[in-house]
């Protein structure tokens, strides 16, 4: 009986010892799993924090980039209308100068080129005489014309003391209007005023017998001119302003194109550096 009771006690002690060891193993296993899960959570949090910081930095860079591009677009849009206006101004100046060249070409330059009185010399007054009264008409109102008179002054000169005698005329218009008189005044109602004007010219030529004049070197025209309508100085000054306008318009267009080229070049250099 005692042996049976002691055997049962030993069996119970062994079962308790085994169950205690199993409980310790399960506790250590659960503890290790918790620590590993804790380590995985911490690592995941760190990874999420690192990726979040990188995304934030990337988003800030993108914002700065967008602001930079927006500023560039604003600058381009602000410069483009000004450049267009400058180009239109240059083209307008060029077209205006071309039109002025055309008008001058059919007026001043044509008269200057057709004139045969090209050589300048010295004329000596030989004789100046009032020959007769010439009729002229003046405007007295709407569809009203009246007749007046002026004295015709004829002047004969010797060109460059060569013995060549020619008749003196004021300019090309006087030569076309009257081939006999040295000067044709503007017709007016007061014929006395025109007579006084012609007499003053006659007295001036009697005092100053040597006057500069223009003659035809080919001697096809017997008349010599006291002055020319369009001489070298008039032609030069008439062509000066259209030329300045043409050069100014061309310079404006060239400067705008140069500015655009330099702007594109700077943008390309900036892209290469990035």
């Amino acid at each position: 009986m005692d042996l049976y009771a002691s055997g049962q006690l030993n069996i119970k002690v062994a079962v308790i010892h085994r169950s205690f060891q199993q409980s310790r193993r399960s506790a250590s296993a659960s503890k290790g799993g918790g620590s590993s899960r804790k380590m995985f959570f911490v690592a995941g949090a760190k990874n999420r924090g690192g990726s979040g910081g990188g995304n934030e930095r990337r988003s800030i860079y993108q914002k700065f980039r967008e602001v930079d591009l927006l500023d560039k677009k604003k600058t381009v849009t602000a410069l483009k209308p000004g450049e267009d206006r400058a180009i239109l101004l240059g083209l307008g100046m060029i077209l205006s100068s071309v039109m002025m060249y055309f008008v001058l070409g059919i007026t001043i330059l044509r008269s200057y080129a057709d004139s045969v009185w090209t050589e300048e010399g010295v004329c000596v007054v030989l004789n100046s005489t009032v020959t007769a009264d010439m009729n002229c008409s003046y405007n007295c109102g709407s569809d009203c014309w009246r007749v007046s008179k002026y004295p015709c002054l004829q002047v004969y000169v010797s060109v460059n003391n060569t013995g060549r005698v020619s008749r003196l005329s004021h300019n090309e218009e006087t030569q076309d209007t009257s081939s006999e008189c040295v000067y044709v005044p503007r017709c007016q109602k007061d014929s006395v005023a025109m007579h006084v004007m012609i007499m003053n010219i006659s007295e001036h030529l009697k005092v100053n017998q040597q006057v500069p004049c223009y003659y035809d070197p080919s001697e096809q025209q017997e008349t010599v001119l006291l002055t020319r309508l369009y001489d070298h100085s008039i032609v030069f000054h008439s062509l000066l302003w259209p030329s300045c306008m043409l050069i100014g318009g061309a310079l404006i267009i060239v400067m705008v194109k140069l500015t655009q080229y330099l702007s594109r070049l700077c943008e390309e250099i900036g892209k290469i550096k990035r």
Side-chain angles (χ1 to χ4, degrees), residues 118-138:
T118 56
E119 293 293 331
E120 186 176 0
V122 178
C123 292
V124 179
V125 178
L126 301 177
N127 185 18
S128 61
T129 307
V130 175
T131 58
D133 289 337
M134 305 295 291
N135 294 327
C136 65
S137 59
Y138 64 93

Side-chain angles (χ1 to χ4, degrees), residues 21-92:
Q21 288 181 350
Q22 288 179 356
S23 62
R24 286 186 62 186
R25 289 175 182 172
S26 61
S28 62
S30 63
K31 186 177 180 181
S35 63
S36 63
R37 285 194 298 271
K38 185 176 181 181
M39 291 176 64
F40 178 76
F41 176 76
V42 172
K46 288 182 179 179
N47 291 330
R48 284 195 298 272
S51 62
N55 292 329
E56 186 177 358
R57 286 193 296 270
R58 194 177 296 110
S59 64
I60 292 173
Y61 174 75
Q62 289 177 356
K63 287 181 180 179
F64 278 113
R65 179 68 174 169
E66 290 175 358
V67 170
D68 190 12
L69 292 175
L70 184 61
D71 290 338
K72 286 184 178 180
K73 288 181 180 179
K74 287 181 179 179
T75 304
V76 170
T77 54
L79 290 176
K80 188 171 175 49
E83 293 173 351
D84 294 339
R85 294 190 194 99
I87 291 176
L88 290 176
L89 175 61
L91 291 176

Side-chain angles (χ1 to χ4, degrees), residues 33-233:
S35 63
S36 63
R37 285 194 298 271
K38 185 176 181 181
M39 291 176 64
F40 178 76
F41 176 76
V42 172
K46 288 182 179 179
N47 291 330
R48 284 195 298 272
S51 62
N55 292 329
E56 186 177 358
R57 286 193 296 270
R58 194 177 296 110
S59 64
I60 292 173
Y61 174 75
Q62 289 177 356
K63 287 181 180 179
F64 278 113
R65 179 68 174 169
E66 290 175 358
V67 170
D68 190 12
L69 292 175
L70 184 61
D71 290 338
K72 286 184 178 180
K73 288 181 180 179
K74 287 181 179 179
T75 304
V76 170
T77 54
L79 290 176
K80 188 171 175 49
E83 293 173 351
D84 294 339
R85 294 190 194 99
I87 291 176
L88 290 176
L89 175 61
L91 291 176
M93 292 174 65
I94 291 174
L95 291 177
S96 299
S97 63
V98 171
M99 293 178 63
M100 292 176 68
Y101 278 130
F102 177 75
V103 173
L104 292 173
I106 62 176
T107 55
I108 296 177
L109 294 179
R110 185 175 180 178
S111 300
Y112 178 78
D114 293 341
S115 179
V116 297
W117 294 277
T118 56
E119 293 293 331
E120 186 176 0
V122 178
C123 292
V124 179
V125 178
L126 301 177
N127 185 18
S128 61
T129 307
V130 175
T131 58
D133 289 337
M134 305 295 291
N135 294 327
C136 65
S137 59
Y138 64 93
N139 189 4
C140 57
S142 178
D143 297 331
C144 175
W145 294 91
R146 292 183 180 179
V147 178
S148 183
K149 292 183 178 181
Y150 66 92
C152 178
L153 176 64
Q154 286 185 350
V155 178
Y156 290 92
V157 296
S158 174
V159 181
N160 293 332
N161 292 323
T162 58
R164 173 189 169 188
V165 178
S166 301
R167 187 177 54 83
L168 184 66
S169 184
H170 181 233
N171 52 30
E172 291 91 346
E173 286 185 350
T174 306
Q175 170 65 21
D176 296 335
T177 303
S178 174
S179 59
E180 299 295 330
C181 306
V182 67
Y183 181 73
V184 177
R186 184 168 177 262
C187 192
Q188 53 185 331
K189 181 180 179 180
D190 190 0
S191 59
V192 176
M194 292 189 292
H195 186 273
V196 171
M197 184 185 300
I198 298 299
M199 290 297 104
N200 289 335
I201 295 174
S202 177
E203 292 297 327
H204 177 75
L205 292 176
K206 287 179 180 180
V207 174
N208 301 313
Q209 292 188 349
Q210 289 187 352
V211 293
C213 60
Y214 297 91
Y215 63 94
D216 181 12
S218 62
E219 297 184 359
Q220 294 180 359
Q221 291 286 343
E222 294 181 357
T223 307
V224 296
L225 302 181
L226 188 62
T227 59
R228 294 182 64 183
L229 284 175
Y230 307 112
D231 56 0
H232 300 285
S233 61

